[in-house]
Amino acid sequence: MDVPFLSLRDVNAPYIDELKAAAARVIDSGWYVMGDELAAFEREFAAYCGTAHAVGVGNGLDALSLILRGYKEMGRLRDGDEVIVPANTFIASFLAITANQLVPVPVEPDPATYNIDPVRVEAALGVRTRAIMPVHLYGQLADMGALADIARRRGLLLIEDAAQAHGASSEGRRAGAFGDAAGFSFFPAKNLGALGDGGAVVTADDELAKRVAALRNYGSEVKYHHVYQGVNSRLDEMQAALLRVKLRHLDNEVARRRWVAQRYREAIRHPHIELPQVQAEDAHAWHLFVVRSGRRDALKAHLAAHGVQSQVHYPVPAHRQPAYPSLHGMKLPLTERLHREVLSLPISPVMSNEAIVRVIDACNAFEYAP
């Protein structure tokens, strides 16, 4: 049998009875939007992240976008302000910025961790810079100490894109608790995945939480009274109930992901496969296990021939996408090289020992004829 990149059915199977009970509870309640399940999940997820507030929204992109929109409503951001963002991230980070008439400033990563490089961030600061949006790429925390220091000295907002980092922690603080606010995604493939789309904003800022809660619900704080020109982006009762089940098991799943990653890091040995570097074990939640190879496409084909599925995250950087022609002239050589070389191997909390060994053996058996 092939080793799938990720089987969501297998990931959810251990909790199937709990998930069905939660779904039945919602169905029987007769209340499907903005009810008790959402309120309970928001309390529980805020407590898990170590923040005062969590606001459930429709997806991870909306979480980031509504943070920026909330700060605009508060007067902290204005049209044309610049937001520093990793160049080598999924396009959602850019979309949230430009959807708010803000300007993304892509910055190259640290070549060791693939996360945004604080030294390059400092060099990219300009007179219109108002925020830094680090991405905890692949599940590993960015250097939040250095970035928080920059933000404090320059009076900048620090907004975490934590869409891949559920469960990552450092010195007792979890992803989402390092910046002024953070956006999470609950897309089904995430470490904390719903059975549909979903997202959340977490923050210690009472005013921001209040603004985001209104903006997600047509700009309304009181029904039929609209303070803002808001949107419809609400985490529904069914997804909230299912996420409450899965949140209880998240730490165990992340621990299992770390174990699989450790097996890979110990046993994959190949001159044309560069393994990921880890700054601290707890700081990586291993949403993805991403290797690099100058022979990436040949490696991907080799793994497929040996029954191992892999994926490329992401083949085209944002500044080369047709959606952003104004960025096409940028020279970001490290980012472009990473996008040519990265390959994600299968990793999940339910991988069998046999599957792990097959991935390792297939990698070590890679032969490349130039």
Side-chain angles (χ1 to χ4, degrees), residues 150-197:
I150 295 170
R152 273 194 306 271
R153 285 189 285 106
R154 300 300 186 101
L156 306 176
L157 294 167
L158 184 59
I159 301 164
E160 298 173 67
D161 182 338
Q164 302 181 1
H166 319 69
S169 64
S170 177
E171 299 180 351
R173 299 167 72 188
R174 286 198 171 104
F178 294 92
D180 295 290
F184 283 88
S185 167
F186 304 128
F187 185 74
K190 303 299 186 185
N191 287 18
L192 180 60
L195 273 68
D197 242 328

Side-chain angles (χ1 to χ4, degrees), residues 250-286:
L250 177 57
D251 284 343
N252 288 337
E253 289 202 353
V254 170
R256 177 69 181 182
R257 286 175 177 273
R258 290 185 177 131
W259 182 80
V260 175
Q262 185 63 30
R263 292 283 306 278
Y264 284 166
R265 291 161 59 205
E266 291 173 349
I268 295 175
R269 292 289 182 268
H270 196 286
H272 295 305
I273 301 176
E274 182 178 335
L275 299 176
Q277 296 186 35
V278 178
Q279 301 300 97
E281 295 297 331
D282 287 349
H284 206 320
W286 295 106

Side-chain angles (χ1 to χ4, degrees), residues 3-70:
V3 179
F5 180 73
L6 180 65
S7 169
L8 292 175
R9 181 167 56 186
D10 290 344
V11 168
N12 290 319
Y15 322 122
I16 192 67
D17 290 339
E18 292 177 81
L19 293 169
K20 288 181 177 178
R25 186 172 69 241
V26 174
I27 294 169
D28 291 345
S29 75
W31 193 290
Y32 306 124
V33 178
M34 300 285 284
D36 292 342
E37 295 291 347
L38 175 59
F41 174 71
E42 289 174 334
R43 289 193 302 271
E44 292 161 9
F45 191 61
Y48 179 85
C49 293
T51 60
H53 306 281
V55 182
V57 298
N59 52 70
L61 172 56
D62 284 357
L64 295 174
S65 182
L66 288 170
I67 291 170
L68 296 172
R69 174 72 188 281

